[in-house]
Protein backbone atom coordinates (compact mmCIF):
# COMPACT_ATOMS: atom_id res chain seq x y z
CA UNK A 1 0.00 0.00 0.00
CA UNK A 2 1.15 3.53 -0.71
CA UNK A 3 2.75 5.54 2.09
CA UNK A 4 1.17 8.77 3.34
CA UNK A 5 2.72 11.91 4.82
CA UNK A 6 0.84 14.17 7.22
CA UNK A 7 1.86 17.12 9.40
CA UNK A 8 2.51 16.09 12.97
CA UNK A 9 0.13 18.61 14.48
CA UNK A 10 -2.24 21.47 13.65
CA UNK A 11 -4.29 23.99 15.56
CA UNK A 12 -7.72 25.27 14.60
CA UNK A 13 -10.04 27.80 16.21
CA UNK A 14 -13.42 26.54 17.33
CA UNK A 15 -16.09 27.24 14.72
CA UNK A 16 -13.60 27.57 11.88
CA UNK A 17 -12.92 25.06 9.16
CA UNK A 18 -10.12 22.60 9.80
CA UNK A 19 -8.19 21.59 6.68
CA UNK A 20 -5.97 18.56 7.16
CA UNK A 21 -3.57 17.75 4.31
CA UNK A 22 -2.20 14.38 3.29
CA UNK A 23 0.40 13.51 0.67
CA UNK A 24 0.25 10.13 -1.05
CA UNK A 25 2.41 10.63 -4.12
CA UNK A 26 2.92 6.89 -4.75
CA UNK A 27 -0.78 6.02 -4.77
CA UNK A 28 -1.77 3.53 -7.45
CA UNK A 29 -4.86 3.56 -9.63
CA UNK A 30 -6.94 1.16 -7.56
CA UNK A 31 -6.07 2.55 -4.15
CA UNK A 32 -8.55 4.47 -2.05
CA UNK A 33 -7.87 7.25 0.44
CA UNK A 34 -9.39 6.63 3.88
CA UNK A 35 -9.60 8.99 6.84
CA UNK A 36 -10.03 7.88 10.42
CA UNK A 37 -9.64 9.77 13.68
CA UNK A 38 -8.80 8.64 17.18
CA UNK A 39 -9.90 10.54 20.23
CA UNK A 40 -7.75 9.88 23.25
CA UNK A 41 -8.11 6.36 24.70
CA UNK A 42 -10.78 5.32 22.19
CA UNK A 43 -10.80 3.19 19.08
CA UNK A 44 -10.44 4.90 15.69
CA UNK A 45 -13.58 6.33 14.12
CA UNK A 46 -14.23 6.12 10.39
CA UNK A 47 -14.72 9.52 8.78
CA UNK A 48 -14.77 9.28 5.00
CA UNK A 49 -13.09 7.68 2.01
CA UNK A 50 -12.74 8.30 -1.72
CA UNK A 51 -11.07 7.15 -4.92
CA UNK A 52 -10.78 10.20 -7.16
CA UNK A 53 -13.94 12.26 -6.84
CA UNK A 54 -14.50 14.65 -3.97
CA UNK A 55 -16.71 13.21 -1.28
CA UNK A 56 -18.89 14.73 1.43
CA UNK A 57 -20.82 13.24 4.31
CA UNK A 58 -22.28 14.47 7.57
CA UNK A 59 -18.88 14.57 9.22
CA UNK A 60 -16.51 15.99 6.65
CA UNK A 61 -15.51 16.62 3.06
CA UNK A 62 -12.66 14.95 1.22
CA UNK A 63 -10.94 16.80 -1.58
CA UNK A 64 -8.61 14.71 -3.77
CA UNK A 65 -6.34 16.43 -6.28
CA UNK A 66 -6.71 15.55 -9.93
CA UNK A 67 -3.41 13.65 -9.99
CA UNK A 68 -4.49 11.90 -6.76
CA UNK A 69 -1.13 12.56 -5.16
CA UNK A 70 -2.60 14.48 -2.27
CA UNK A 71 -5.87 15.07 -0.48
CA UNK A 72 -7.40 17.34 2.14
CA UNK A 73 -9.90 16.45 4.83
CA UNK A 74 -12.15 19.37 5.70
CA UNK A 75 -14.10 19.65 8.93
CA UNK A 76 -16.36 22.60 8.07
CA UNK A 77 -17.03 23.90 11.59
CA UNK A 78 -14.58 22.45 14.08
CA UNK A 79 -15.69 21.94 17.67
CA UNK A 80 -13.69 21.08 20.77
CA UNK A 81 -14.87 17.48 20.39
CA UNK A 82 -13.03 17.27 17.07
CA UNK A 83 -9.69 17.36 18.90
CA UNK A 84 -8.12 14.03 17.94
CA UNK A 85 -5.39 12.35 15.92
CA UNK A 86 -6.44 12.15 12.27
CA UNK A 87 -5.08 9.35 10.12
CA UNK A 88 -4.92 9.37 6.33
CA UNK A 89 -4.55 5.83 4.99
CA UNK A 90 -4.24 4.54 1.45
CA UNK A 91 -5.35 1.01 0.77
CA UNK A 92 -6.54 -1.15 -2.08
CA UNK A 93 -10.07 -1.36 -3.35
CA UNK A 94 -12.74 -0.88 -0.75
CA UNK A 95 -10.45 -1.30 2.19
CA UNK A 96 -12.99 -3.76 3.48
CA UNK A 97 -10.80 -6.81 3.64
CA UNK A 98 -7.53 -5.04 3.23
CA UNK A 99 -5.51 -4.17 6.23
CA UNK A 100 -5.16 -0.56 7.28
CA UNK A 101 -1.61 0.54 8.01
CA UNK A 102 -1.67 3.49 10.38
CA UNK A 103 1.03 6.14 10.22
CA UNK A 104 1.61 8.74 12.88
CA UNK A 105 -1.31 10.94 11.84
CA UNK A 106 -2.00 14.62 12.57
CA UNK A 107 -2.91 15.75 16.06
CA UNK A 108 -5.60 18.38 15.55
CA UNK A 109 -6.08 20.64 18.54
CA UNK A 110 -9.24 22.73 18.37
CA UNK A 111 -8.82 25.85 20.47
CA UNK A 112 -11.71 27.66 22.19
CA UNK B 1 -24.45 2.76 11.83
CA UNK B 2 -22.09 -0.15 12.23
CA UNK B 3 -21.24 -0.90 15.83
CA UNK B 4 -18.35 -2.96 17.12
CA UNK B 5 -18.24 -3.82 20.80
CA UNK B 6 -15.14 -4.86 22.67
CA UNK B 7 -15.01 -6.46 26.11
CA UNK B 8 -13.58 -5.95 28.63
CA UNK B 9 -12.64 -2.30 28.33
CA UNK B 10 -9.95 -2.65 30.95
CA UNK B 11 -8.24 -5.57 32.63
CA UNK B 12 -5.52 -5.75 35.23
CA UNK B 13 -4.00 -9.10 36.08
CA UNK B 14 -0.92 -10.83 37.36
CA UNK B 15 1.99 -11.93 35.24
CA UNK B 16 1.51 -15.42 33.84
CA UNK B 17 -2.26 -15.10 33.48
CA UNK B 18 -3.98 -15.66 30.16
CA UNK B 19 -6.43 -12.95 29.16
CA UNK B 20 -9.25 -13.21 26.63
CA UNK B 21 -10.61 -10.16 24.80
CA UNK B 22 -13.86 -10.31 22.85
CA UNK B 23 -14.79 -8.34 19.77
CA UNK B 24 -18.39 -8.40 18.57
CA UNK B 25 -20.13 -6.87 15.59
CA UNK B 26 -23.55 -5.85 16.87
CA UNK B 27 -25.52 -5.03 13.74
CA UNK B 28 -23.70 -6.64 10.84
CA UNK B 29 -21.92 -9.85 9.92
CA UNK B 30 -18.19 -9.44 10.28
CA UNK B 31 -16.59 -11.70 7.73
CA UNK B 32 -13.21 -10.17 8.50
CA UNK B 33 -11.83 -8.87 11.77
CA UNK B 34 -8.51 -7.26 12.53
CA UNK B 35 -6.58 -6.98 15.80
CA UNK B 36 -4.31 -4.05 16.58
CA UNK B 37 -2.06 -3.09 19.45
CA UNK B 38 -1.16 0.44 20.48
CA UNK B 39 1.55 1.44 22.92
CA UNK B 40 1.46 4.87 24.64
CA UNK B 41 2.12 7.80 22.31
CA UNK B 42 2.42 5.46 19.32
CA UNK B 43 0.21 4.62 16.40
CA UNK B 44 -1.85 1.46 15.95
CA UNK B 45 0.08 -1.59 14.87
CA UNK B 46 -1.76 -4.37 13.05
CA UNK B 47 -1.25 -7.73 14.71
CA UNK B 48 -3.39 -10.11 12.69
CA UNK B 49 -6.25 -10.52 10.26
CA UNK B 50 -8.91 -13.13 10.81
CA UNK B 51 -11.57 -14.36 8.42
CA UNK B 52 -14.55 -16.21 9.78
CA UNK B 53 -14.00 -19.93 9.79
CA UNK B 54 -10.33 -19.89 8.90
CA UNK B 55 -6.98 -19.43 10.63
CA UNK B 56 -5.76 -15.93 11.35
CA UNK B 57 -2.96 -14.37 9.35
CA UNK B 58 -0.36 -12.80 11.62
CA UNK B 59 1.86 -9.85 10.81
CA UNK B 60 5.60 -10.30 10.87
CA UNK B 61 6.98 -10.35 14.37
CA UNK B 62 3.70 -11.25 16.07
CA UNK B 63 3.84 -14.61 17.84
CA UNK B 64 0.81 -16.68 16.93
CA UNK B 65 1.25 -18.97 19.92
CA UNK B 66 1.30 -15.96 22.21
CA UNK B 67 -1.71 -14.21 20.72
CA UNK B 68 -4.40 -16.76 19.95
CA UNK B 69 -7.19 -15.58 17.67
CA UNK B 70 -10.48 -17.34 17.18
CA UNK B 71 -13.13 -16.15 14.73
CA UNK B 72 -15.68 -18.91 14.98
CA UNK B 73 -18.80 -16.93 14.13
CA UNK B 74 -19.77 -13.98 11.96
CA UNK B 75 -20.25 -11.74 14.97
CA UNK B 76 -17.48 -12.72 17.36
CA UNK B 77 -13.70 -12.84 17.36
CA UNK B 78 -11.55 -13.38 20.42
CA UNK B 79 -7.93 -12.56 21.15
CA UNK B 80 -6.28 -14.50 23.96
CA UNK B 81 -2.99 -13.21 25.31
CA UNK B 82 -1.41 -16.35 26.74
CA UNK B 83 0.85 -16.24 29.78
CA UNK B 84 0.85 -12.46 29.74
CA UNK B 85 3.87 -10.53 30.98
CA UNK B 86 4.33 -6.84 31.78
CA UNK B 87 5.68 -6.15 28.27
CA UNK B 88 2.30 -7.29 26.89
CA UNK B 89 0.63 -4.37 28.64
CA UNK B 90 -0.93 -2.29 25.88
CA UNK B 91 -4.14 -1.00 24.31
CA UNK B 92 -5.67 -3.75 22.15
CA UNK B 93 -8.20 -2.72 19.51
CA UNK B 94 -10.27 -4.76 17.09
CA UNK B 95 -11.96 -3.76 13.88
CA UNK B 96 -14.56 -5.53 11.81
CA UNK B 97 -15.99 -5.37 8.35
CA UNK B 98 -18.43 -7.20 6.13
CA UNK B 99 -16.76 -8.33 2.94
CA UNK B 100 -20.09 -8.74 1.17
CA UNK B 101 -21.19 -5.16 1.67
CA UNK B 102 -17.71 -3.71 1.32
CA UNK B 103 -18.18 -1.55 4.38
CA UNK B 104 -15.23 0.40 5.72
CA UNK B 105 -13.69 -1.10 8.83
CA UNK B 106 -15.31 -0.10 12.10
CA UNK B 107 -13.40 -0.22 15.34
CA UNK B 108 -14.18 -1.22 18.89
CA UNK B 109 -13.32 1.08 21.78
CA UNK B 110 -10.30 -0.95 22.76
CA UNK B 111 -9.16 -2.96 25.78
CA UNK B 112 -6.50 -1.57 28.08
CA UNK B 113 -4.47 -4.49 29.38
CA UNK B 114 -2.19 -3.99 32.37
CA UNK B 115 -0.02 -6.86 33.54
CA UNK B 116 1.47 -6.51 37.00
Amino acid sequence: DAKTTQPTSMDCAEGRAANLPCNHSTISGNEYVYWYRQIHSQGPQYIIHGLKNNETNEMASLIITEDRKSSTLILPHATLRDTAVYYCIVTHYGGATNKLIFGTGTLLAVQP
Amino acid sequence: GAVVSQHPSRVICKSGTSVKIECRSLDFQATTMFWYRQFPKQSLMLMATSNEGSKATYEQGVEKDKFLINHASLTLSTLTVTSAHPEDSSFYICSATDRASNQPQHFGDGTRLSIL
Side-chain angles (χ1 to χ4, degrees), chain A residues 21-101:
Chain A
C22 179
N23 285 320
H24 31 79
S25 58
T26 60
I27 192 170
S28 62
N30 61 351
E31 288 185 308
Y32 282 66
V33 180
Y34 277 75
W35 283 85
Y36 282 80
R37 72 180 182 183
Q38 186 178 26
I39 296 169
H40 183 62
S41 295
Q42 296 182 22
Q45 178 188 23
Y46 166 77
I47 301 173
I48 199 167
H49 74 282
L51 181 62
K52 53 184 177 182
N53 296 323
N54 297 337
E55 302 287 345
T56 296
N57 62 20
E58 65 278 2
M59 287 184 70
S61 294
L62 174 60
I63 308 299
I64 303 174
T65 57
E66 194 168 339
D67 63 8
R68 302 209 321 124
K69 293 184 177 182
S70 65
S71 60
T72 301
L73 178 74
I74 301 172
L75 307 179
H77 305 286
T79 70
L80 298 178
R81 288 178 295 179
D82 292 322
T83 292
V85 178
Y86 287 76
Y87 296 99
C88 167
I89 301 168
V90 170
T91 189
H92 284 92
Y93 175 71
T97 55
N98 288 299
K99 48 192 180 185
L100 299 177
I101 305 301

Side-chain angles (χ1 to χ4, degrees), chain B residues 57-78:
Chain B
T57 302
Y58 289 80
E59 295 298 303
Q60 192 172 10
V62 178
E63 301 175 55
K64 59 182 178 183
D65 295 330
K66 173 77 172 175
F67 300 100
L68 302 179
I69 293 172
N70 184 285
H71 190 170
S73 80
L74 284 171
T75 58
L76 174 65
S77 175
T78 59

Side-chain angles (χ1 to χ4, degrees), chain B residues 2 4-6 10 13 27-28 34 48 56 63 66 68 74 88 92-93 106 108 110:
Chain B
V4 175
S5 173
Q6 220 175 306
R10 184 177 182 98
C13 56
D27 55 357
F28 67 99
F34 301 84
E63 301 175 55
K66 173 77 172 175
L68 302 179
L74 284 171
D88 298 322
Y92 292 86
I93 310 168
H106 292 277

Side-chain angles (χ1 to χ4, degrees), chain B:
Chain B
V3 178
V4 175
S5 173
Q6 220 175 306
H7 179 80
S9 57
R10 184 177 182 98
V11 59
I12 303 171
C13 56
K14 294 180 180 179
S15 184
T17 307
S18 291
V19 179
K20 180 185 283 189
I21 302 169
E22 293 185 349
C23 180
R24 293 181 184 274
S25 58
L26 298 185
D27 55 357
F28 67 99
Q29 293 186 327
T31 49
T32 304
M33 286 185 169
F34 301 84
W35 286 95
Y36 296 81
R37 181 167 55 180
Q38 185 175 32
F39 291 107
K41 299 189 185 303
Q42 294 186 23
S43 189
L44 285 79
M45 185 188 75
L46 179 67
M47 299 175 68
T49 302
S50 75
N51 293 301
E52 185 265 338
S54 61
K55 288 185 179 179
T57 302
Y58 289 80
E59 295 298 303
Q60 192 172 10
V62 178
E63 301 175 55
K64 59 182 178 183
D65 295 330
K66 173 77 172 175
F67 300 100
L68 302 179
I69 293 172
N70 184 285
H71 190 170
S73 80
L74 284 171
T75 58
L76 174 65
S77 175
T78 59
L79 168 69
T80 301
V81 183
T82 61
S83 187
H85 292 286
E87 58 267 27
D88 298 322
S89 299
S90 189
F91 192 48
Y92 292 86
I93 310 168
C94 71
S95 72
T97 188
D98 175 13
R99 187 190 306 132
S101 69
N102 206 28
Q103 283 191 51
Q105 291 180 36
H106 292 277
F107 287 78
D109 272 339
T111 297
R112 189 159 302 281
L113 174 63
S114 300
I115 308 297
L116 304 178

Side-chain angles (χ1 to χ4, degrees), chain A residues 11-23:
Chain A
D11 286 348
C12 176
E14 189 178 17
R16 304 297 293 268
N19 297 282
L20 293 94
C22 179
N23 285 320

